[in-house]
Amino acid sequence: MIDLIGLALLGVAMIASPGPANMVLMTAGAEFGLRRALPFVFGVAMGKQLVIWPVGLGLLAATASLPGLATALAFLSAAYLLWLAWRIAGARIVAGRARPPRFAAGLVVHPLNPKAWALVTSAFGVYAAGAPPLLGTLIVALTFLAIQLVFHPLWCWGGARLAHAVAGTQAERALMICLAALTVASVVVVLVNVG
């Protein structure tokens, strides 16, 4: 059936660790603060559902019959995340900026994140293998959502705390470049494992 403990441990390890989505969440916190970025944070959490449900209900079968599909999706997603990193590198911490990212912007982060696809396919392949598709998908979806609702706001809050410490100083530019570099590094690590 489903190994709930293994699934939860995998979820915590992957969701809490640095990766493209967490770097974007940290950057949103740095630029806008946790409170103003919350719609984006919740959008990011719900965006993983846009990966979980199609994978759980059939995308794994499609990618198994078309082996290049998974690799193509990973590289297209990586291109988007690298573009985000480029934007992060040039960003500045501006208190009270008018438009924090919205819920809809958060929805696309995980569908375009190779780490999210790797996490979800691993969850189904290892911890939910053999479970009825609907039940297995529901359990994976709820488990990961619960974990995200804890760790995604923490990453955003961490970015806000860091920004508060360096806003307006020479360290501000270094912080944004570091966040961009970490985003690029996390994408490269995921792509090396995909390829």
Side-chain angles (χ1 to χ4, degrees), residues 37-76:
L38 273 177
F40 178 72
V41 172
F42 291 127
V44 172
M46 293 308 297
K48 187 164 276 166
Q49 300 298 310
L50 299 175
V51 177
I52 292 170
W53 286 93
V55 168
L57 298 177
L59 189 59
L60 281 176
T63 56
S65 63
L66 298 167
L69 180 61
T71 302
L73 288 172
F75 280 94
L76 287 172

mmCIF file of all heavy atoms in Angstrom, residues 37-76:
data_model
loop_
_atom_site.group_PDB
_atom_site.id
_atom_site.type_symbol
_atom_site.label_atom_id
_atom_site.label_comp_id
_atom_site.label_asym_id
_atom_site.label_seq_id
_atom_site.Cartn_x
_atom_site.Cartn_y
_atom_site.Cartn_z
ATOM 1 N N ALA A 37 3.851 38.683 0.680
ATOM 2 C CA ALA A 37 4.123 37.592 -0.261
ATOM 3 C C ALA A 37 3.259 36.357 -0.005
ATOM 4 O O ALA A 37 3.340 35.389 -0.762
ATOM 5 C CB ALA A 37 5.599 37.212 -0.205
ATOM 6 N N LEU A 38 2.418 36.367 1.040
ATOM 7 C CA LEU A 38 1.633 35.171 1.365
ATOM 8 C C LEU A 38 0.778 34.643 0.210
ATOM 9 O O LEU A 38 0.725 33.427 0.011
ATOM 10 C CB LEU A 38 0.766 35.403 2.611
ATOM 11 C CG LEU A 38 1.456 35.105 3.933
ATOM 12 C CD1 LEU A 38 0.538 35.424 5.103
ATOM 13 C CD2 LEU A 38 1.966 33.682 4.019
ATOM 14 N N PRO A 39 0.098 35.486 -0.572
ATOM 15 C CA PRO A 39 -0.651 34.916 -1.698
ATOM 16 C C PRO A 39 0.255 34.128 -2.650
ATOM 17 O O PRO A 39 -0.112 33.051 -3.122
ATOM 18 C CB PRO A 39 -1.255 36.148 -2.395
ATOM 19 C CG PRO A 39 -1.351 37.166 -1.313
ATOM 20 C CD PRO A 39 -0.151 36.925 -0.437
ATOM 21 N N PHE A 40 1.449 34.640 -2.894
ATOM 22 C CA PHE A 40 2.416 33.944 -3.739
ATOM 23 C C PHE A 40 2.837 32.629 -3.092
ATOM 24 O O PHE A 40 2.900 31.587 -3.757
ATOM 25 C CB PHE A 40 3.624 34.844 -3.976
ATOM 26 C CG PHE A 40 4.713 34.214 -4.797
ATOM 27 C CD1 PHE A 40 4.554 34.001 -6.153
ATOM 28 C CD2 PHE A 40 5.914 33.839 -4.210
ATOM 29 C CE1 PHE A 40 5.564 33.414 -6.917
ATOM 30 C CE2 PHE A 40 6.930 33.266 -4.958
ATOM 31 C CZ PHE A 40 6.756 33.053 -6.316
ATOM 32 N N VAL A 41 3.105 32.649 -1.784
ATOM 33 C CA VAL A 41 3.515 31.447 -1.048
ATOM 34 C C VAL A 41 2.440 30.367 -1.178
ATOM 35 O O VAL A 41 2.745 29.203 -1.464
ATOM 36 C CB VAL A 41 3.787 31.777 0.435
ATOM 37 C CG1 VAL A 41 4.027 30.517 1.253
ATOM 38 C CG2 VAL A 41 4.974 32.722 0.571
ATOM 39 N N PHE A 42 1.180 30.745 -0.981
ATOM 40 C CA PHE A 42 0.092 29.763 -1.102
ATOM 41 C C PHE A 42 -0.069 29.293 -2.544
ATOM 42 O O PHE A 42 -0.394 28.129 -2.790
ATOM 43 C CB PHE A 42 -1.217 30.328 -0.553
ATOM 44 C CG PHE A 42 -1.196 30.495 0.942
ATOM 45 C CD1 PHE A 42 -1.519 31.707 1.521
ATOM 46 C CD2 PHE A 42 -0.824 29.451 1.776
ATOM 47 C CE1 PHE A 42 -1.481 31.871 2.892
ATOM 48 C CE2 PHE A 42 -0.780 29.604 3.152
ATOM 49 C CZ PHE A 42 -1.113 30.815 3.710
ATOM 50 N N GLY A 43 0.178 30.177 -3.499
ATOM 51 C CA GLY A 43 0.147 29.778 -4.904
ATOM 52 C C GLY A 43 1.212 28.736 -5.214
ATOM 53 O O GLY A 43 0.957 27.763 -5.927
ATOM 54 N N VAL A 44 2.409 28.926 -4.644
ATOM 55 C CA VAL A 44 3.489 27.955 -4.845
ATOM 56 C C VAL A 44 3.075 26.598 -4.262
ATOM 57 O O VAL A 44 3.245 25.552 -4.902
ATOM 58 C CB VAL A 44 4.819 28.449 -4.229
ATOM 59 C CG1 VAL A 44 5.880 27.357 -4.273
ATOM 60 C CG2 VAL A 44 5.312 29.699 -4.948
ATOM 61 N N ALA A 45 2.504 26.623 -3.063
ATOM 62 C CA ALA A 45 2.077 25.366 -2.428
ATOM 63 C C ALA A 45 1.002 24.669 -3.264
ATOM 64 O O ALA A 45 1.072 23.455 -3.488
ATOM 65 C CB ALA A 45 1.564 25.633 -1.011
ATOM 66 N N MET A 46 0.051 25.413 -3.759
ATOM 67 C CA MET A 46 -1.017 24.815 -4.560
ATOM 68 C C MET A 46 -0.511 24.390 -5.942
ATOM 69 O O MET A 46 -1.046 23.461 -6.540
ATOM 70 C CB MET A 46 -2.194 25.782 -4.699
ATOM 71 C CG MET A 46 -2.910 26.043 -3.375
ATOM 72 S SD MET A 46 -3.402 24.543 -2.486
ATOM 73 C CE MET A 46 -4.548 23.820 -3.640
ATOM 74 N N GLY A 47 0.528 25.054 -6.434
ATOM 75 C CA GLY A 47 1.090 24.701 -7.732
ATOM 76 C C GLY A 47 1.641 23.290 -7.780
ATOM 77 O O GLY A 47 1.635 22.642 -8.830
ATOM 78 N N LYS A 48 2.108 22.787 -6.641
ATOM 79 C CA LYS A 48 2.607 21.400 -6.641
ATOM 80 C C LYS A 48 1.464 20.430 -6.912
ATOM 81 O O LYS A 48 1.669 19.357 -7.479
ATOM 82 C CB LYS A 48 3.311 21.054 -5.334
ATOM 83 C CG LYS A 48 3.973 19.677 -5.412
ATOM 84 C CD LYS A 48 4.969 19.462 -4.331
ATOM 85 C CE LYS A 48 6.276 20.071 -4.783
ATOM 86 N NZ LYS A 48 7.242 20.231 -3.735
ATOM 87 N N GLN A 49 0.248 20.826 -6.562
ATOM 88 C CA GLN A 49 -0.910 19.984 -6.859
ATOM 89 C C GLN A 49 -1.068 19.811 -8.373
ATOM 90 O O GLN A 49 -1.561 18.781 -8.841
ATOM 91 C CB GLN A 49 -2.188 20.588 -6.257
ATOM 92 C CG GLN A 49 -2.154 20.739 -4.745
ATOM 93 C CD GLN A 49 -2.005 19.421 -4.026
ATOM 94 O OE1 GLN A 49 -2.734 18.465 -4.293
ATOM 95 N NE2 GLN A 49 -1.041 19.336 -3.114
ATOM 96 N N LEU A 50 -0.644 20.835 -9.135
ATOM 97 C CA LEU A 50 -0.715 20.761 -10.596
ATOM 98 C C LEU A 50 0.297 19.773 -11.175
ATOM 99 O O LEU A 50 0.231 19.431 -12.354
ATOM 100 C CB LEU A 50 -0.506 22.147 -11.216
ATOM 101 C CG LEU A 50 -1.538 23.204 -10.826
ATOM 102 C CD1 LEU A 50 -1.151 24.565 -11.405
ATOM 103 C CD2 LEU A 50 -2.932 22.800 -11.247
ATOM 104 N N VAL A 51 1.231 19.340 -10.341
ATOM 105 C CA VAL A 51 2.180 18.290 -10.724
ATOM 106 C C VAL A 51 1.685 16.945 -10.193
ATOM 107 O O VAL A 51 1.674 15.945 -10.901
ATOM 108 C CB VAL A 51 3.599 18.600 -10.189
ATOM 109 C CG1 VAL A 51 4.571 17.472 -10.513
ATOM 110 C CG2 VAL A 51 4.107 19.928 -10.725
ATOM 111 N N ILE A 52 1.257 16.940 -8.931
ATOM 112 C CA ILE A 52 0.883 15.689 -8.263
ATOM 113 C C ILE A 52 -0.276 14.977 -8.965
ATOM 114 O O ILE A 52 -0.194 13.780 -9.246
ATOM 115 C CB ILE A 52 0.527 15.950 -6.783
ATOM 116 C CG1 ILE A 52 1.789 16.354 -6.013
ATOM 117 C CG2 ILE A 52 -0.128 14.722 -6.144
ATOM 118 C CD1 ILE A 52 1.525 16.873 -4.605
ATOM 119 N N TRP A 53 -1.344 15.698 -9.230
ATOM 120 C CA TRP A 53 -2.543 15.036 -9.766
ATOM 121 C C TRP A 53 -2.329 14.451 -11.159
ATOM 122 O O TRP A 53 -2.695 13.287 -11.389
ATOM 123 C CB TRP A 53 -3.745 15.979 -9.688
ATOM 124 C CG TRP A 53 -4.209 16.095 -8.261
ATOM 125 C CD1 TRP A 53 -3.834 17.042 -7.349
ATOM 126 C CD2 TRP A 53 -5.055 15.184 -7.568
ATOM 127 N NE1 TRP A 53 -4.405 16.767 -6.132
ATOM 128 C CE2 TRP A 53 -5.165 15.642 -6.232
ATOM 129 C CE3 TRP A 53 -5.729 14.020 -7.940
ATOM 130 C CZ2 TRP A 53 -5.929 14.982 -5.286
ATOM 131 C CZ3 TRP A 53 -6.502 13.373 -6.983
ATOM 132 C CH2 TRP A 53 -6.592 13.838 -5.681
ATOM 133 N N PRO A 54 -1.746 15.182 -12.107
ATOM 134 C CA PRO A 54 -1.528 14.539 -13.421
ATOM 135 C C PRO A 54 -0.565 13.358 -13.344
ATOM 136 O O PRO A 54 -0.771 12.342 -14.016
ATOM 137 C CB PRO A 54 -0.947 15.660 -14.289
ATOM 138 C CG PRO A 54 -1.337 16.923 -13.621
ATOM 139 C CD PRO A 54 -1.433 16.604 -12.160
ATOM 140 N N VAL A 55 0.483 13.473 -12.514
ATOM 141 C CA VAL A 55 1.432 12.366 -12.392
ATOM 142 C C VAL A 55 0.729 11.162 -11.772
ATOM 143 O O VAL A 55 0.819 10.042 -12.269
ATOM 144 C CB VAL A 55 2.675 12.773 -11.566
ATOM 145 C CG1 VAL A 55 3.514 11.561 -11.199
ATOM 146 C CG2 VAL A 55 3.516 13.778 -12.342
ATOM 147 N N GLY A 56 0.008 11.416 -10.687
ATOM 148 C CA GLY A 56 -0.661 10.321 -9.996
ATOM 149 C C GLY A 56 -1.741 9.645 -10.822
ATOM 150 O O GLY A 56 -1.982 8.447 -10.685
ATOM 151 N N LEU A 57 -2.366 10.416 -11.693
ATOM 152 C CA LEU A 57 -3.474 9.854 -12.462
ATOM 153 C C LEU A 57 -3.114 9.471 -13.893
ATOM 154 O O LEU A 57 -3.988 9.153 -14.682
ATOM 155 C CB LEU A 57 -4.662 10.825 -12.454
ATOM 156 C CG LEU A 57 -5.251 11.099 -11.063
ATOM 157 C CD1 LEU A 57 -6.359 12.126 -11.147
ATOM 158 C CD2 LEU A 57 -5.747 9.821 -10.412
ATOM 159 N N GLY A 58 -1.824 9.527 -14.252
ATOM 160 C CA GLY A 58 -1.509 9.016 -15.569
ATOM 161 C C GLY A 58 -0.288 9.534 -16.299
ATOM 162 O O GLY A 58 0.156 8.913 -17.248
ATOM 163 N N LEU A 59 0.290 10.665 -15.891
ATOM 164 C CA LEU A 59 1.424 11.182 -16.642
ATOM 165 C C LEU A 59 2.626 10.245 -16.574
ATOM 166 O O LEU A 59 3.402 10.172 -17.519
ATOM 167 C CB LEU A 59 1.793 12.591 -16.159
ATOM 168 C CG LEU A 59 2.827 13.316 -16.999
ATOM 169 C CD1 LEU A 59 2.348 13.469 -18.435
ATOM 170 C CD2 LEU A 59 3.138 14.669 -16.403
ATOM 171 N N LEU A 60 2.761 9.520 -15.475
ATOM 172 C CA LEU A 60 3.875 8.565 -15.386
ATOM 173 C C LEU A 60 3.800 7.539 -16.509
ATOM 174 O O LEU A 60 4.811 7.171 -17.097
ATOM 175 C CB LEU A 60 3.869 7.849 -14.029
ATOM 176 C CG LEU A 60 4.424 8.625 -12.846
ATOM 177 C CD1 LEU A 60 4.271 7.824 -11.560
ATOM 178 C CD2 LEU A 60 5.871 9.004 -13.063
ATOM 179 N N ALA A 61 2.590 7.107 -16.849
ATOM 180 C CA ALA A 61 2.432 6.144 -17.942
ATOM 181 C C ALA A 61 2.816 6.781 -19.273
ATOM 182 O O ALA A 61 3.467 6.145 -20.105
ATOM 183 C CB ALA A 61 0.992 5.638 -17.990
ATOM 184 N N ALA A 62 2.438 8.042 -19.466
ATOM 185 C CA ALA A 62 2.768 8.727 -20.723
ATOM 186 C C ALA A 62 4.268 8.919 -20.874
ATOM 187 O O ALA A 62 4.820 8.700 -21.954
ATOM 188 C CB ALA A 62 2.060 10.076 -20.791
ATOM 189 N N THR A 63 4.949 9.314 -19.803
ATOM 190 C CA THR A 63 6.393 9.525 -19.906
ATOM 191 C C THR A 63 7.145 8.204 -20.031
ATOM 192 O O THR A 63 8.234 8.167 -20.587
ATOM 193 C CB THR A 63 6.937 10.343 -18.715
ATOM 194 O OG1 THR A 63 6.591 9.690 -17.498
ATOM 195 C CG2 THR A 63 6.402 11.759 -18.724
ATOM 196 N N ALA A 64 6.564 7.121 -19.536
ATOM 197 C CA ALA A 64 7.206 5.812 -19.694
ATOM 198 C C ALA A 64 7.172 5.377 -21.153
ATOM 199 O O ALA A 64 8.119 4.770 -21.655
ATOM 200 C CB ALA A 64 6.526 4.776 -18.813
ATOM 201 N N SER A 65 6.078 5.698 -21.857
ATOM 202 C CA SER A 65 5.990 5.307 -23.267
ATOM 203 C C SER A 65 6.708 6.291 -24.186
ATOM 204 O O SER A 65 7.030 5.957 -25.320
ATOM 205 C CB SER A 65 4.527 5.160 -23.686
ATOM 206 O OG SER A 65 3.861 6.398 -23.585
ATOM 207 N N LEU A 66 6.960 7.508 -23.708
ATOM 208 C CA LEU A 66 7.710 8.515 -24.472
ATOM 209 C C LEU A 66 8.894 8.974 -23.620
ATOM 210 O O LEU A 66 8.830 10.006 -22.958
ATOM 211 C CB LEU A 66 6.821 9.719 -24.804
ATOM 212 C CG LEU A 66 5.601 9.456 -25.672
ATOM 213 C CD1 LEU A 66 4.675 10.647 -25.659
ATOM 214 C CD2 LEU A 66 6.047 9.137 -27.094
ATOM 215 N N PRO A 67 9.986 8.234 -23.602
ATOM 216 C CA PRO A 67 11.091 8.513 -22.679
ATOM 217 C C PRO A 67 11.665 9.927 -22.791
ATOM 218 O O PRO A 67 12.097 10.496 -21.804
ATOM 219 C CB PRO A 67 12.146 7.469 -23.028
ATOM 220 C CG PRO A 67 11.558 6.569 -24.033
ATOM 221 C CD PRO A 67 10.244 7.106 -24.462
ATOM 222 N N GLY A 68 11.650 10.522 -23.955
ATOM 223 C CA GLY A 68 12.202 11.862 -24.107
ATOM 224 C C GLY A 68 11.320 12.953 -23.540
ATOM 225 O O GLY A 68 11.781 14.074 -23.300
ATOM 226 N N LEU A 69 10.053 12.647 -23.264
ATOM 227 C CA LEU A 69 9.120 13.657 -22.759
ATOM 228 C C LEU A 69 9.548 14.192 -21.399
ATOM 229 O O LEU A 69 9.573 15.400 -21.183
ATOM 230 C CB LEU A 69 7.703 13.078 -22.689
ATOM 231 C CG LEU A 69 6.612 14.016 -22.176
ATOM 232 C CD1 LEU A 69 6.478 15.243 -23.074
ATOM 233 C CD2 LEU A 69 5.285 13.273 -22.079
ATOM 234 N N ALA A 70 9.920 13.322 -20.496
ATOM 235 C CA ALA A 70 10.326 13.754 -19.155
ATOM 236 C C ALA A 70 11.569 14.636 -19.215
ATOM 237 O O ALA A 70 11.652 15.666 -18.548
ATOM 238 C CB ALA A 70 10.575 12.546 -18.259
ATOM 239 N N THR A 71 12.535 14.246 -20.035
ATOM 240 C CA THR A 71 13.756 15.035 -20.169
ATOM 241 C C THR A 71 13.465 16.393 -20.793
ATOM 242 O O THR A 71 13.961 17.425 -20.327
ATOM 243 C CB THR A 71 14.799 14.271 -21.010
ATOM 244 O OG1 THR A 71 15.048 13.014 -20.373
ATOM 245 C CG2 THR A 71 16.090 15.046 -21.131
ATOM 246 N N ALA A 72 12.630 16.416 -21.822
ATOM 247 C CA ALA A 72 12.270 17.685 -22.469
ATOM 248 C C ALA A 72 11.560 18.606 -21.488
ATOM 249 O O ALA A 72 11.870 19.805 -21.417
ATOM 250 C CB ALA A 72 11.393 17.427 -23.686
ATOM 251 N N LEU A 73 10.630 18.066 -20.712
ATOM 252 C CA LEU A 73 9.932 18.878 -19.709
ATOM 253 C C LEU A 73 10.912 19.431 -18.674
ATOM 254 O O LEU A 73 10.805 20.586 -18.265
ATOM 255 C CB LEU A 73 8.845 18.052 -19.020
ATOM 256 C CG LEU A 73 7.609 17.724 -19.847
ATOM 257 C CD1 LEU A 73 6.709 16.746 -19.091
ATOM 258 C CD2 LEU A 73 6.844 18.992 -20.198
ATOM 259 N N ALA A 74 11.863 18.619 -18.264
ATOM 260 C CA ALA A 74 12.846 19.065 -17.267
ATOM 261 C C ALA A 74 13.679 20.225 -17.797
ATOM 262 O O ALA A 74 13.899 21.221 -17.105
ATOM 263 C CB ALA A 74 13.750 17.908 -16.862
ATOM 264 N N PHE A 75 14.131 20.135 -19.053
ATOM 265 C CA PHE A 75 14.975 21.191 -19.599
ATOM 266 C C PHE A 75 14.192 22.465 -19.902
ATOM 267 O O PHE A 75 14.696 23.568 -19.707
ATOM 268 C CB PHE A 75 15.753 20.686 -20.817
ATOM 269 C CG PHE A 75 16.965 19.883 -20.419
ATOM 270 C CD1 PHE A 75 16.898 18.504 -20.327
ATOM 271 C CD2 PHE A 75 18.155 20.512 -20.086
ATOM 272 C CE1 PHE A 75 18.001 17.764 -19.920
ATOM 273 C CE2 PHE A 75 19.261 19.783 -19.687
ATOM 274 C CZ PHE A 75 19.191 18.405 -19.603
ATOM 275 N N LEU A 76 12.959 22.345 -20.346
ATOM 276 C CA LEU A 76 12.122 23.534 -20.543
ATOM 277 C C LEU A 76 11.852 24.229 -19.211
ATOM 278 O O LEU A 76 11.898 25.460 -19.113
ATOM 279 C CB LEU A 76 10.798 23.154 -21.220
ATOM 280 C CG LEU A 76 10.879 22.804 -22.698
ATOM 281 C CD1 LEU A 76 9.551 22.263 -23.200
ATOM 282 C CD2 LEU A 76 11.292 24.024 -23.514
#
